[in-house]
Amino acid sequence: MINITSFETLDKAIKLAGGEPTVLEALWDGDTSGWYLYLNLHVIIKKLFSIKKEVRYLGTISLGGDIRLFNGTVPPWPEAELAKEWGKMANEKYGLIFYFPSDKEPDNNCPGWEQRHLAIQCADCAKMIIPTDSPYLSKEICYSCHLKREFNNKIKNAEPYDDGVNLFMVKDEEYNHLGYSSFLDGFSMAPFIDDTVQSRREKRLVDIVTIDELDISIIKEKIEQALDEKVAVYKSAEFPPDFPEKFKSNIKRHTVEYKGNKYELIERLNEEHSKIDGLVWALEMVDKAISGNYCFKIYFKNGFTYRDDAVLRFVNFVSNGSTSLAAIVQQYSGILTETEVQDTVTKMEKAGCLIIEGEIVQTTDVTRKLL
Ligand SMILES: [Zn+2]
């Protein structure tokens, strides 16, 4: 598989394809490592007594990396930006048509150049799509619009949404953000603080739990115990004999030190290594807290809905922390009524997340630590 990494590689592939290029098409496909674009070139081959149309596969544009999860905001797709830029250059150089039916986000239901006549326009975003044959999806819209509609329904129906926990190391007014996780158990120190945390939760809309000096020294002991057990059975990671050579350089390794010994760990792919890594990190944070007289503070939501979350995010991120009530109503028109927006804002004011002064709605310090 040729990886198209620049206009030069694309240009070379076009020349190698032979014939007269007429259409360059960019289509999405996905595998376990994420979405990528593949490029086909439609060419006309002229021989003495015949003219033939052929399609040549040129290669892929793939930046790899993690699967970017849909979270209700549109993620940037740098692959699409590159394809658009190079497609334009190919158009200028060869006079060919650049065909890219989904240039804003990945979609593998778009018609190829030769299936255009089978396509319909997505009712929401007007993109050309081949109607899905899934009985669970609407036929008239594309998959990304389906996800958007689903997300908007969650806002409309005020479905519960308490995901999102933030951990800070705190001294007086100094807050150091240590991490975000959907749930508490995403933190490597979770098993050692869970009981304490649960017993201190007050189940208010916003729960802020403090883990103080005394707790931290107990946690330190527990983490060390767990680490002692893990490093006692530590094994360095060797590649299995059939591991493909070309992927070896993708595997990142780093070394951690614990009680004077060094351990080489590989990232992500080895569960035992990840646990050691997480525990070493937790121990480091705990040591920092002890030597610097910090405590830990953990921010939880409790009884939030998608609607609350969406309104807070709109005020905090989209509007930089301050906007008018009318602007929020406008943002959610068609999804929420004015009364629903008003109720949400009032609920978030009670939670300490918003301040309302006349028409102006502002986020608070709590919101910035909660989201
Ligand atoms: Zn659409």
Side-chain angles (χ1 to χ4, degrees):
M1 199 150 47
I2 302 169
N3 209 355
I4 309 277
T5 54
S6 64
F7 179 69
E8 284 66 41
T9 43
L10 172 62
D11 194 27
K12 204 170 144 194
I14 292 175
K15 284 186 184 126
L16 277 173
E20 181 193 322
T22 54
V23 178
L24 175 66
E25 71 180 349
L27 300 171
W28 291 97
D29 206 351
D31 60 22
T32 51
S33 62
W35 288 100
Y36 58 88
L37 278 169
Y38 63 96
L39 302 180
N40 291 325
L41 188 70
H42 296 249
V43 293
I44 293 175
I45 314 277
K46 287 181 185 157
K47 298 232 172 90
L48 200 48
F49 299 107
S50 69
I51 291 182
K52 240 184 7 182
K53 281 184 181 175
E54 282 186 13
V55 183
R56 302 277 157 86
Y57 167 70
L58 297 185
T60 60
I61 303 177
S62 158
L63 300 177
D66 300 334
I67 300 169
R68 284 159 275 201
L69 291 174
F70 187 87
N71 59 4
T73 55
V74 182
W77 293 98
E79 295 90 343
E81 296 310 310
L82 292 174
K84 274 191 270 187
E85 188 186 319
W86 300 338
K88 189 168 171 274
M89 289 164 82
N91 158 269
E92 282 160 8
K93 180 160 181 182
Y94 296 98
L96 51 71
I97 294 168
F98 177 56
Y99 176 72
F100 190 8
S102 183
D103 64 1
K104 287 186 188 63
E105 73 269 303
D107 191 328
N108 56 3
N109 288 315
C110 289
W113 177 251
E114 275 159 3
Q115 287 92 45
R116 280 169 302 148
H117 62 287
L118 301 174
I120 58 161
Q121 254 188 339
C122 166
D124 286 4
C125 75
K127 182 167 70 186
M128 298 303 287
I129 50 165
I130 301 283
T132 170
D133 50 15
S134 161
Y136 307 104
L137 301 171
S138 346
K139 302 246 179 272
E140 80 279 12
I141 53 170
C142 72
Y143 188 62
S144 96
C145 288
H146 162 77
L147 291 176
K148 272 179 215 151
R149 278 195 192 178
E150 258 195 345
F151 187 72
N152 287 343
N153 277 336
K154 287 180 180 165
I155 295 173
K156 195 182 184 116
N157 300 331
E159 285 182 31
Y161 186 68
D162 283 331
D163 290 16
V165 178
N166 277 296
L167 171 65
F168 294 88
M169 190 158 73
V170 181
K171 183 162 66 182
D172 305 322
E173 293 308 303
E174 181 193 337
Y175 278 72
N176 300 289
H177 188 231
L178 297 189
Y180 168 91
S181 174
S182 297
F183 305 99
L184 181 65
D185 61 12
F187 292 107
S188 55
M189 63 174 80
F192 316 104
I193 57 174
D194 197 38
D195 290 346
T196 314
V197 168
Q198 296 316 331
S199 69
R200 284 182 200 168
R201 285 196 60 178
E202 295 177 317
K203 299 284 174 181
R204 294 189 215 181
L205 275 169
V206 175
D207 259 354
I208 306 168
V209 174
T210 304
I211 306 279
D212 57 29
E213 211 177 320
L214 186 66
D215 305 316
I216 293 174
S217 59
I218 299 168
I219 294 166
K220 180 181 159 93
E221 259 174 57
K222 289 185 186 167
I223 295 174
E224 283 181 329
Q225 260 174 27
L227 252 176
D228 288 339
E229 284 168 26
K230 285 285 168 214
V231 297
V233 293
Y234 164 82
K235 282 197 200 78
S236 69
E238 304 299 335
F239 289 115
D242 56 348
F243 196 87
E245 195 64 37
K246 65 173 179 170
F247 292 135
K248 284 189 181 172
S249 61
N250 292 342
I251 310 296
K252 294 200 172 61
R253 293 166 186 263
H254 68 279
T255 304
V256 295
E257 209 176 312
Y258 174 60
K259 289 189 176 168
N261 293 314
K262 287 184 171 156
Y263 303 93
E264 190 193 48
L265 306 175
I266 64 167
E267 284 171 18
R268 291 206 301 257
L269 297 166
N270 182 311
E271 207 184 325
E272 287 304 303
H273 283 198
S274 298
K275 278 184 187 155
I276 293 176
D277 207 18
L279 289 171
V280 168
W281 178 82
L283 186 61
E284 228 172 80
M285 292 308 118
V286 160
D287 280 337
K288 253 190 197 170
I290 293 171
S291 64
N293 292 319
Y294 289 94
C295 66
F296 294 127
K297 279 188 194 286
I298 308 168
Y299 281 65
F300 294 95
K301 298 169 200 153
N302 189 54
F304 270 58
T305 65
Y306 276 90
R307 191 185 289 179
D308 305 327
D309 189 73
V311 167
L312 280 190
R313 279 175 197 279
F314 174 71
V315 180
N316 197 56
F317 297 117
V318 181
S319 318
N320 287 321
S322 175
T323 189
S324 66
L325 194 60
I328 309 174
V329 172
Q330 170 67 30
Q331 170 72 12
Y332 293 101
S333 69
I335 302 170
L336 301 176
T337 64
E338 201 173 328
T339 315
E340 285 169 335
V341 170
Q342 180 70 59
D343 290 348
T344 308
V345 167
T346 308
K347 177 181 169 186
M348 289 297 100
E349 187 188 26
K350 278 195 190 124
C353 294
L354 291 177
I355 296 169
I356 309 168
E357 276 173 44
E359 259 295 294
I360 299 300
V361 179
Q362 282 175 299
T363 48
T364 65
D365 202 41
V366 173
T367 313
R368 289 185 279 279
K369 296 196 170 76
L370 189 67
L371 289 181

